[in-house]
Amino acid sequence: MLSVFMAEEERAPGFQAPKVRCGLCCLQEFCAPDRLAREEVDFLKTFVKKQELRLPRGARAYRQGDEFRALVAVHTGSFKIVSASEGGAERVTGFAFAGDLMGLNGIDAGRHGDCAVALEPSGVCLLPWERVEEAAARLPLVRRQLVRLLSREIRLGQEVGVVLGRLSAEERFAAFLLSLSRRLARRGFDGERFRLSMSRHDIASFLGLTAETVSRLFTRFRARGLLRASAKDVELADPKALGQLAHRKNPNRPEN
């Protein structure tokens, strides 16, 4: 996987997409730990060396079925996570933004169960998994950070389950916007004004809706004063009302 994209990296244009500060990245403890002894820091710097790659829009950071070799952290830009069934049907199962980690579901099987497609010119940091495992075995702080990363992925998966669960189309869309807002804010970006790098079709695939329904929801939410949108630029005009919509009680929906 590491060598496949070197040519694409060299051809990639300069970055225009949001870039996360290293201090807010999910790999901070591996790249710049601030609570390790000097000899431990020296060990990480010499043993666990990250590789940075640039990918043009449409390139894949990894493909479904590829051997799992490295942790992949988004440094710049964004990706959609796509999973294909045995019949070839594809579905968007998530999105990753600057500061997020991708591909952890390949740890158990040793192969990636989905692919990560760049939605814009993007950059990733790669940390070889074998080196990460050895570093985690030697350094308790790194081991704890790895556990936190895995725990965060479980939590994000649970959030996705809520969005795609027993919610109406309006509730799913509101929950999606709020989840996106929170994720961007945690990485130091503006959580109320942002640019959607994904297409309406990608959003629809993720939410289990049609692209036409997503377009109607944008129009409906604008008319109700919940958001302002122009092309792919979005502003959450009334986050409180969006939150109420995403969590409203629906008498036709069984309680958990």
Side-chain angles (χ1 to χ4, degrees):
M1 179 181 70
L2 302 185
S3 62
V4 171
F5 297 109
M6 289 305 293
E8 291 177 323
E9 178 205 1
E10 294 167 358
R11 294 194 302 266
F15 290 147
Q16 300 296 325
K19 178 179 179 180
V20 73
R21 298 191 303 274
C22 288
L24 294 174
C25 179
C26 56
L27 297 183
Q28 178 189 8
E29 295 290 2
F30 296 104
C31 303
D34 58 3
R35 295 187 299 277
L36 292 180
R38 179 59 182 272
E39 61 272 15
E40 294 174 326
V41 173
D42 291 341
F43 164 75
L44 275 184
K45 288 182 177 179
T46 58
F47 187 72
V48 185
K49 293 184 178 180
K50 69 179 180 181
Q51 180 180 6
E52 296 184 14
L53 298 179
R54 294 183 180 185
L55 303 175
R57 182 177 182 272
R60 287 163 169 75
Y62 55 83
R63 294 176 173 82
Q64 188 168 339
D66 279 354
E67 181 182 355
F68 176 78
R69 297 181 181 178
L71 295 178
V72 183
V74 184
H75 184 257
T76 309
S78 56
F79 291 79
K80 64 178 177 180
I81 311 302
V82 180
S83 180
S85 66
E86 292 185 359
E90 292 187 343
R91 178 173 180 178
V92 176
T93 58
F95 300 99
F97 306 95
D100 287 339
L101 194 64
M102 303 188 297
L104 279 175
N105 64 4
I107 294 176
D108 179 47
R111 294 193 177 277
H112 290 286
D114 48 35
C115 69
V117 183
L119 292 168
E120 55 193 319
S122 301
V124 297
C125 294
L126 306 177
L127 282 180
W129 179 243
E130 290 183 357
R131 298 293 183 91
V132 171
E133 282 188 304
E134 185 164 343
R138 294 192 187 188
L139 305 177
L141 180 62
V142 174
R143 184 165 59 251
R144 288 195 297 271
Q145 173 67 358
L146 189 58
V147 171
R148 284 197 294 270
L149 288 174
L150 295 173
S151 177
R152 185 175 67 87
E153 290 303 303
I154 293 173
R155 177 174 54 78
L156 289 176
Q158 291 173 337
E159 289 182 5
V160 170
V162 171
V163 172
L164 300 180
R166 303 166 180 173
L167 303 182
S168 68
E170 279 196 350
E171 292 167 337
R172 292 187 199 183
F173 189 56
F176 166 73
L177 292 173
L178 290 173
S179 175
L180 180 57
S181 172
R182 288 192 297 268
R183 291 176 64 185
L184 292 173
R186 282 197 296 264
R187 296 304 182 195
F189 303 117
D190 191 334
E192 294 189 2
R193 297 179 181 86
F194 46 85
R195 183 172 179 81
L196 295 174
S197 55
M198 69 288 292
S199 67
R200 299 286 196 269
H201 178 80
D202 291 334
I203 296 173
S205 178
F206 175 66
L207 295 178
L209 304 172
T210 65
E212 292 76 13
T213 297
V214 170
S215 293
R216 285 195 296 269
L217 288 170
F218 268 105
T219 301
R220 191 180 308 165
F221 278 31
R222 282 198 300 266
R224 291 164 58 178
L226 297 176
L227 59 81
R228 288 183 280 272
S230 175
K232 289 194 172 186
D233 294 319
V234 172
E235 177 182 353
L236 304 188
D238 195 341
K240 182 178 180 180
L242 280 172
Q244 292 172 343
L245 175 58
H247 300 98
R248 69 183 176 185
K249 297 293 184 179
N250 186 338
N252 296 320
R253 187 174 68 240
E255 296 294 334
N256 291 330

